[in-house]
């Protein structure tokens, strides 16, 4: 884990953005499409930690972006080139545009200052979405990545951000995947190679010391 000072150097609110990945009712909610993943996100404390980090970001003036995956009812524009996409079409809960399933899940609070980016295709919250352009316009240098899943979307977000020149911080107890052992393996053997790892408490301690600033 980074030292307290090293983490503080990375987490300047003026150049840091907190990204939540697929923390939506249809994924991590009580009646979500993937009960095993939703259960892990909640019982592990990951979802609660995401909510704590979002609240701290709001308090410190750090920009928050919520990345939401959804699809049109007619499926137009959606991928069908992998088993994951085809399986999603058969799930009892679908992430349809405008439905409850694509609302950011409690206990995460969404404020008027937050940006919500919705994608209709692909696996990544960054590739092929507005996220990269928004990060550049915001002057982002450090991206904090949280959410689900450690199986697919979170690694995609981390790798895509690093490839685009951002420094990535991953609060390891604010991401979840299934099974839990796999999440730990991904963190140790993949994410640790490209991102700065920290705990939510370590990130919260640094954000808590930062003064609220106004982005222009």
């Amino acid at each position: 884990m980074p030292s307290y000072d090293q983490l503080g150097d990375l987490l300047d609110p003026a150049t840091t953005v907190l990204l939540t990945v697929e923390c939506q009712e249809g994924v991590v909610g009580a009646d979500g499409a993937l009960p095993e993943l939703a259960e892990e996100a909640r019982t592990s404390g990951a979802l609660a930690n995401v909510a704590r980090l979002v609240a701290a970001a709001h308090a410190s003036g750090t920009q928050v972006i919520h990345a939401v995956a959804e699809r049109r009812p007619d499926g137009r524009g959606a991928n069908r080139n992998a088993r994951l996409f085809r399986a999603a079409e058969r799930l009892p809960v679908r992430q349809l545009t405008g439905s409850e399933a694509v609302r950011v899940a409690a206990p995460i609070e969404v404020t008027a200052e937050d940006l919500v980016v919705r994608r209709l295709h692909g696996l990544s919250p960054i590739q092929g979405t507005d996220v990269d352009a928004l990060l550049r316009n915001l002057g982002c240098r450090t991206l904090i990545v949280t959410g689900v899943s450690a199986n697919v979307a979170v690694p995609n977000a981390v790798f895509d951000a690093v490839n685009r020149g951002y420094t990535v911080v991953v609060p390891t107890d604010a991401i979840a995947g299934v099974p839990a052992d796999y999440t730990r393996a991904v963190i140790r053997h993949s994410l640790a190679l490209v991102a700065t790892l920290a705990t939510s408490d370590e990130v919260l301690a640094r954000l808590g010391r930062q003064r609220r600033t106004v982005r222009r």
Side-chain angles (χ1 to χ4, degrees):
M1 295 295 181
S3 73
Y4 193 72
D5 289 337
Q6 287 173 328
L7 191 60
D9 290 341
L10 294 177
L11 299 181
D12 177 357
T15 57
T16 299
V17 173
L18 172 64
L19 180 70
T20 75
V21 177
E22 296 183 23
C23 293
Q24 57 202 76
E25 289 290 350
V27 176
V28 297
D31 298 316
L34 304 167
E36 186 180 1
L37 177 59
E39 177 73 8
E40 177 61 25
R42 291 178 175 275
T43 59
S44 69
L47 188 61
N49 284 329
V50 174
R52 294 169 65 215
L53 289 163
V54 168
H58 292 157
S60 68
T62 301
Q63 180 66 53
V64 178
I65 298 179
H66 304 281
V68 174
E70 58 183 51
R71 59 185 293 121
R72 289 166 50 110
D74 61 8
R76 191 177 298 273
N79 291 67
R80 294 183 177 81
N81 58 335
R83 288 176 56 195
L84 177 64
F85 302 124
R86 296 191 293 273
E89 294 177 348
R90 300 190 296 271
L91 292 173
V93 177
R94 301 174 67 198
Q95 315 301 317
L96 299 181
T97 300
S99 70
E100 180 71 9
V102 297
R103 184 173 66 83
V104 176
I108 298 168
E109 179 184 6
V110 180
T111 68
E113 292 78 18
D114 293 1
L115 298 170
V116 180
V117 177
R118 303 180 182 279
R119 78 177 193 273
L120 292 172
H121 63 86
L123 298 170
S124 173
I126 296 178
Q127 171 67 31
T129 76
D130 289 337
V131 169
D132 183 37
L134 292 173
L135 293 177
R136 296 191 184 280
N137 290 345
L138 290 163
C140 177
R141 295 181 181 177
T142 299
L143 185 65
I144 305 171
V145 176
T146 66
V148 298
S149 70
N151 303 75
V152 179
V154 167
N156 265 269
V158 172
F159 293 137
D160 285 347
V162 171
N163 283 332
R164 285 161 175 77
Y166 302 103
T167 297
V168 178
V169 173
V170 177
T172 57
D173 52 357
I175 66 171
V178 289
D181 286 348
Y182 181 75
T183 300
R184 290 189 286 270
V186 167
I187 290 169
R188 179 178 180 182
H189 299 293
S190 295
L191 301 187
L193 303 178
V194 295
T196 297
L197 305 183
T199 65
S200 292
D201 283 344
E202 288 171 333
V203 175
L204 287 165
R206 293 308 310 187
L207 291 179
R209 292 175 58 88
Q210 307 293 354
R211 182 187 305 172
R212 172 176 282 276
T213 58
V214 178
R215 291 180 180 266
R216 299 186 185 278

